[in-house]
């Protein structure tokens, strides 16, 4: 197992007991995903510990649920905590790398000379996982995964690498295209992402809910947000990328809301989109 996967597993272990802290965030995520239609199948990418998913509620509105993550143990323990081990309609797909590039990226460093092919691979490899996931689905969600995929690039080549921006743009676009490829026509996609944390904006935990939107706009204006997850840039990408824009019938930004992670708080947004 490469060091990037080990790091992700350690990160998941550090928050595996955060069920109580995640309560408000879990309500937001669950209510965004619970509207299926009969019979609907739900696929969640980055389900990990499942602390942000009330699976018992979700199984009432979906025919079956597919949980996908690189960390199989996190999925297994997350489902066990919600008393859903071996549930007929809850399917675990662990050990799946949703970048398709994690082995290649584990050899990258700030001195790596990346070629055009490497950048193109970051886009194309995101769909390598399709044969391991039994789609398509009526509802597909990505739950605070995008920032983690981009963090791999920060942790390997680093922000000062000349192709840093190209690589994160390819990973982001690949992820959004993957979501659409997993969806049935007319299906619902929900991209949920953390945008900034109290590590870089200390007062985040105490911002009144009604001011959170305004504060987030200011933070984004000041450049205080995680790489690649500027909410406006994501919405623009859905509208302007030739592949995405052809497939997306409607877009609805949701949030922000706050995610109490325990050691820090995050501001989180979602974009709901419907496939043509
Ligand atoms: C911040 S967590 C999401 C929160 C999680 N649903 C929970 O309740 O704790 C991000 C998830 O993305 C997963 N992840 C990170 N990189 C991945 C990759 N390359 N492929 C698949 N999953 C990945 C992690 O294992 C982790 O479970």
């Amino acid at each position: 197992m490469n060091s990037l996967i080990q790091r992700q597993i350690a990160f998941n272990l550090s928050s595996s007991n955060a069920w109580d802290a995640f309560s408000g965030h879990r309500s937001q995520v669950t209510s965004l995903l619970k509207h299926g239609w009969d019979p609907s199948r739900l696929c969640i990418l980055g389900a990990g510990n499942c602390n942000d998913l009330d699976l018992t509620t979700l199984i009432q509105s979906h025919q079956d649920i597919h949980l996908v993550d690189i960390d199989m143990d996190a999925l297994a323990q997350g489902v066990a905590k919600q008393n859903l081990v071996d549930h007929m309609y809850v399917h675990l797909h662990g050990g799946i790398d949703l970048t398709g590039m994690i082995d290649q990226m584990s050899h990258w460093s700030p001195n790596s000379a990346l070629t055009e092919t490497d950048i193109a691979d970051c886009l194309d490899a995101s769909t390598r996982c399709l044969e391991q996931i039994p789609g398509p689905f009526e509802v597909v969600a990505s739950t605070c995964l995008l920032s983690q995929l981009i963090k791999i690039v920060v942790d390997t080549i680093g922000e000062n690498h000349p192709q840093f921006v190209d690589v994160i743009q390819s990973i982001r676009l690949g992820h959004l295209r993957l979501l659409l490829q997993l969806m049935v026509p007319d299906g619902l996609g929900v991209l949920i992402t953390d945008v900034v944390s109290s590590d870089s904006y200390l007062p985040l935990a105490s911002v009144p809910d009604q001011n959170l939107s305004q504060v987030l706009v200011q933070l984004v204006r000041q450049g205080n947000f995680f790489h690649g997850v500027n909410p406006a840039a994501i919405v623009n990408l859905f509208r302007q990328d030739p592949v995405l824009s052809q497939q997306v019938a409607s877009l609805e930004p949701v949030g922000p809301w706050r995610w109490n992670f325990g050691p820090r708080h995050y501001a989180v947004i979602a974009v709901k989109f419907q496939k043509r």
Side-chain angles (χ1 to χ4, degrees):
M1 185 186 298
N2 75 49
S3 59
L4 296 174
I5 303 177
Q6 283 169 358
R7 205 178 302 175
Q8 196 54 66
I9 290 173
F11 179 70
N12 286 345
L13 277 174
S14 74
S15 63
S16 62
N17 290 324
W19 177 261
D20 290 340
F22 278 33
S23 156
H25 175 58
R26 180 168 57 252
S27 307
Q28 296 277 0
V29 174
T30 303
S31 77
L32 278 171
L33 307 188
K34 86 176 167 200
H35 300 292
W37 52 91
D38 216 17
S40 66
R41 304 172 75 224
L42 168 66
C43 175
I44 300 170
L45 307 182
N49 293 319
C50 304
N51 282 329
D52 54 5
L53 304 165
D54 181 341
L55 295 171
T56 308
T57 298
L58 292 173
I59 200 67
Q60 283 161 27
S61 26
H62 296 280
Q63 178 186 310
D64 60 7
I65 302 182
H66 293 257
L67 304 171
V68 184
D69 204 280
I70 202 158
D71 184 352
M72 182 60 185
D73 289 346
L75 289 179
Q77 281 159 32
V79 162
K81 254 187 261 163
Q82 299 192 43
N83 299 317
L84 291 167
V85 176
D86 295 333
H87 191 287
M88 253 176 107
Y89 301 123
V90 178
H91 308 277
L92 310 189
H93 307 279
I96 296 184
D97 167 30
L98 292 163
T99 62
M101 288 287 290
I102 206 150
D103 286 332
Q104 206 168 319
M105 290 196 288
S106 69
H107 301 292
W108 288 0
S109 76
N111 299 321
S112 299
L114 301 183
T115 62
E116 290 291 314
T117 311
D118 292 317
I119 313 284
D121 280 352
C122 289
L123 178 60
D124 300 335
S126 65
T127 50
R128 279 185 195 150
C129 61
L130 282 172
E131 59 201 35
Q132 296 169 270
I133 306 174
F137 303 92
E138 280 72 26
V139 184
V140 175
S142 165
T143 53
C144 296
L145 166 65
L146 181 59
S147 60
Q148 295 300 309
L149 302 185
I150 291 173
K151 190 170 181 299
I152 299 173
V153 186
V154 178
D155 291 345
T156 52
I157 62 173
E159 307 169 326
N160 296 323
H161 190 283
Q163 277 133 322
F164 176 72
V165 173
D166 294 335
V167 175
I168 63 170
Q169 286 180 346
S170 282
I171 297 268
R172 178 175 65 184
L173 187 54
H175 189 59
L176 301 188
R177 288 187 183 175
L178 169 66
L179 293 179
L180 277 155
Q181 290 216 36
L182 283 166
M183 291 158 64
V184 297
D186 285 336
L188 170 69
V190 187
L191 174 77
I192 301 171
T193 184
D194 39 323
V195 180
V196 61
S197 86
S198 53
D199 285 347
S200 65
Y201 183 67
L202 215 59
L204 187 61
S206 54
V207 173
D209 285 347
Q210 68 271 22
N211 296 351
L212 192 59
S213 242
Q214 202 186 344
V215 168
L216 186 59
V217 169
Q218 274 164 11
L219 291 173
V220 169
R221 238 179 243 149
Q222 292 159 6
N224 189 353
F225 58 95
F226 300 131
H227 291 288
V229 294
N230 176 344
I234 291 175
V235 168
N236 280 341
L237 194 56
F238 273 116
R239 293 201 173 120
Q240 287 165 9
D241 174 68
V243 176
L244 299 179
S245 59
Q246 284 230 333
Q247 293 186 64
V248 171
S250 65
L251 273 180
E252 183 193 339
V254 182
W257 67 88
R258 214 184 331 248
W259 173 16
N260 177 0
F261 192 82
R264 73 190 74 83
H265 286 68
Y266 294 91
V268 179
I269 59 110
V271 180
K272 286 168 73 173
F273 52 99
Q274 197 182 5
K275 187 169 173 173
R276 271 187 216 287

